[in-house]
Amino acid sequence: MKKVTLTLIKHKTIKQIAFKFQYDTEIKEYIKKLPHINWSKTHGVFYIPYTKENINLSAKHLKNSPWNIQNNLPKNDLFLINLTQEQLLDIQKFKRWLTQKRLSDNTVNTYTNVVTYFIKYCHSKNTTLYTNHMIESFNYDFIVKENKSISYQNQCINGIKKFLQYKNINLDTLQIVRPKKEKKLPTVLSLDEVKLILNNINNLKHKALIALIYSAGLRIGEAINLKITDIDSKRMLICVENSKGKKDRYTLLSPLFLVLVRQYYSVYKPKIFLFEGADGNKYSPTSAQKILSNAVRKTSISKKVTLHTLRHSFATHLLESGTDLRYIQELLGHGSPKTTMIYTHVSNKQLSQIKNPFDSL
């Protein structure tokens, strides 16, 4: 019997219901009758947005079909729980409260998302009481059991504690122990690999953005927040305002990058931000990562490369060229020299000078 499998995928970072089946014209035409159906070349499937309404609609649509329908969608997914208008309003107020605390956009969004899931979790347990037991259960079921990262677990704990502070709830006996972060060494590209990536970006705007992140050692948030006036070509410096830790700093303006960014400016003529989207607003971090991923895919590089890899590479290459760690710390905007010290572990300058005892055999 022909089989159609319903499964969960992420397409363009958004959860979708995917319909998987061996190619069959009859099934294809039947699936296409669903409203809002789309085709993904990336996944090779038809898909619709992952909502409770669409799950019910799909089940009803396929119920009387002659095929074997296999439902692999998650059961009791918190994502599908609908909150009350009062709860949604409370979450929006919490988000505004976080924003007034002048936390970064990323932190505000992360805390808001985790608190939304926490409230949905409480809703699924038929309670509106935010007790120690409920928080510890959420920590286990949503984070530990799902094997989410230690970094994300710490962010969740921070977000819930902020929410309790916002609600004036005092839980002094909260027993959630913060796990120690893994001490993973950063991925670093060689100079040749950075050059190879840039050579595989043809779009002038895209190349300038990726070159900026590497040549100035910027975080992606710093790069897309950069304004035209932050480029100081007379002093050959870039002013990074209100970066992580609410600090301003200066970083290097490469003469080679200055040539590239002037070419870019003469073509695109941005008005406020150095890199603007089609609507004139700030460029999207997701779009920037997609540019980098597409460029890496065209190369033979097998490392997992993210935008932050370019920042790690910038710091490591400075260290290997003899730059003092204190200056690297300032250029990166690290609050502590301990953070910058990690690059001593990935630099091959000192390691390459050590004679391997095997060579003496």
Side-chain angles (χ1 to χ4, degrees):
M1 183 182 287
K2 298 172 183 177
K3 185 170 74 171
V4 179
T5 302
L6 276 68
T7 189
L8 182 65
I9 64 168
K10 269 197 174 183
H11 183 66
K12 297 181 179 177
T13 72
I14 299 171
K15 287 184 176 183
Q16 310 283 356
I17 302 169
F19 300 83
K20 294 185 176 181
F21 54 91
Q22 286 192 337
Y23 183 80
D24 183 277
T25 304
E26 186 183 5
I27 297 177
K28 174 186 170 184
E29 293 305 317
Y30 192 80
I31 297 292
K32 283 172 68 176
K33 291 177 182 177
L34 279 165
H36 312 300
I37 196 79
N38 290 290
W39 171 257
S40 167
K41 286 184 180 179
T42 306
H43 298 279
V45 294
F46 285 102
Y47 68 92
I48 56 175
Y50 179 59
T51 64
K52 189 182 289 185
E53 292 76 14
N54 280 342
I55 289 174
N56 295 333
L57 184 65
S58 303
K60 186 177 179 181
H61 186 67
L62 295 169
K63 183 179 179 181
N64 298 319
S65 69
W67 311 300
N68 178 20
I69 309 301
Q70 186 171 340
N71 188 343
N72 287 345
L73 295 170
K75 305 293 188 292
N76 303 320
D77 193 341
L78 293 182
F79 179 82
L80 298 173
I81 293 176
N82 294 322
L83 297 177
T84 66
Q85 283 299 117
E86 185 181 353
Q87 288 169 324
L88 292 170
L89 183 61
D90 200 27
I91 290 169
Q92 286 303 313
K93 287 180 178 177
F94 172 61
K95 187 173 184 178
R96 286 199 297 271
W97 182 81
L98 290 173
T99 304
Q100 288 167 0
K101 297 283 184 185
R102 297 300 183 96
L103 301 176
S104 71
D105 291 345
N106 283 341
T107 302
V108 169
N109 290 332
T110 300
Y111 287 2
T112 304
N113 287 339
V114 73
V115 163
T116 302
Y117 278 119
F118 174 62
I119 294 173
K120 286 185 175 186
Y121 181 81
C122 294
H123 191 87
S124 72
K125 302 295 182 182
N126 299 315
T127 183
T128 55
L129 298 176
Y130 307 132
T131 62
N132 275 312
H133 175 71
M134 195 54 58
I135 295 167
E136 289 162 7
S137 296
F138 173 76
N139 178 59
Y140 178 74
D141 290 340
F142 183 71
I143 305 169
V144 178
K145 200 160 73 174
E146 294 296 321
N147 201 28
K148 291 183 167 67
S149 71
I150 289 174
S151 176
Y152 182 70
Q153 183 175 355
N154 282 323
Q155 285 180 316
C156 287
I157 294 169
N158 290 339
I160 292 173
K161 285 191 170 183
K162 284 288 184 187
F163 182 63
L164 297 178
Q165 185 183 343
Y166 158 75
K167 298 288 286 184
N168 290 318
I169 298 173
N170 184 18
L171 293 178
D172 292 332
T173 57
L174 191 61
Q175 295 298 315
I176 300 177
V177 179
R178 292 175 184 273
K180 290 185 178 179
K181 288 184 180 180
E182 307 121 306
K183 293 185 178 179
K184 291 185 178 179
L185 293 178
T187 300
V188 172
L189 299 166
S190 68
L191 283 167
D192 286 339
E193 286 172 331
V194 175
K195 186 176 181 181
L196 188 60
I197 289 170
L198 290 172
N199 286 343
N200 275 282
I201 303 175
N202 297 321
N203 182 287
L204 181 59
K205 180 180 187 177
H206 296 169
K207 180 177 283 192
L209 175 58
I210 299 303
L212 167 69
I213 295 170
Y214 169 72
S215 68
L218 298 181
R219 302 175 179 95
I220 179 55
E222 295 167 348
I224 61 177
N225 280 313
L226 215 61
K227 297 188 175 94
I228 301 164
T229 52
D230 293 329
I231 304 295
D232 188 344
S233 57
K234 290 182 179 177
R235 297 174 64 203
M236 294 305 290
L237 293 171
I238 297 173
C239 179
V240 184
E241 294 184 338
N242 200 25
S243 62
K244 192 173 181 180
K246 309 299 178 191
K247 295 179 294 185
D248 293 353
R249 75 177 191 277
Y250 283 101
T251 188
L252 306 177
L253 173 59
S254 156
L256 196 60
F257 171 72
L258 183 58
V259 173
L260 178 62
V261 80
R262 280 174 171 165
Q263 291 173 351
Y264 152 72
Y265 183 83
S266 67
V267 174
Y268 287 88
K269 294 182 172 56
K271 293 178 175 59
I272 300 173
F273 296 102
L274 185 60
F275 293 97
E276 296 173 342
D279 55 2
N281 292 322
K282 287 186 290 188
Y283 208 76
S284 157
T286 306
S287 299
Q289 180 59 54
K290 196 174 292 183
I291 293 165
L292 180 61
S293 298
N294 289 338
V296 172
R297 203 174 295 121
K298 295 175 186 175
T299 71
S300 57
I301 299 169
S302 58
K303 299 172 184 175
K304 184 180 178 181
V305 181
T306 66
L307 294 166
H308 217 66
T309 304
L310 299 172
R311 177 173 156 91
H312 291 319
S313 303
F314 166 80
T316 305
H317 296 162
L318 283 178
L319 185 63
E320 289 176 348
S321 66
T323 307
D324 191 286
L325 267 174
R326 289 171 297 177
Y327 295 126
I328 298 174
Q329 179 188 344
E330 289 296 321
L331 291 171
L332 295 178
H334 286 162
S336 167
K338 289 182 181 178
T339 310
T340 319
M341 283 290 290
I342 194 170
Y343 298 111
T344 62
H345 298 288
V346 291
S347 169
N348 65 11
K349 185 179 179 182
Q350 288 81 14
L351 292 176
S352 63
Q353 294 172 358
I354 301 172
K355 186 177 181 182
N356 193 311
F358 184 81
D359 297 327
S360 300
L361 297 178

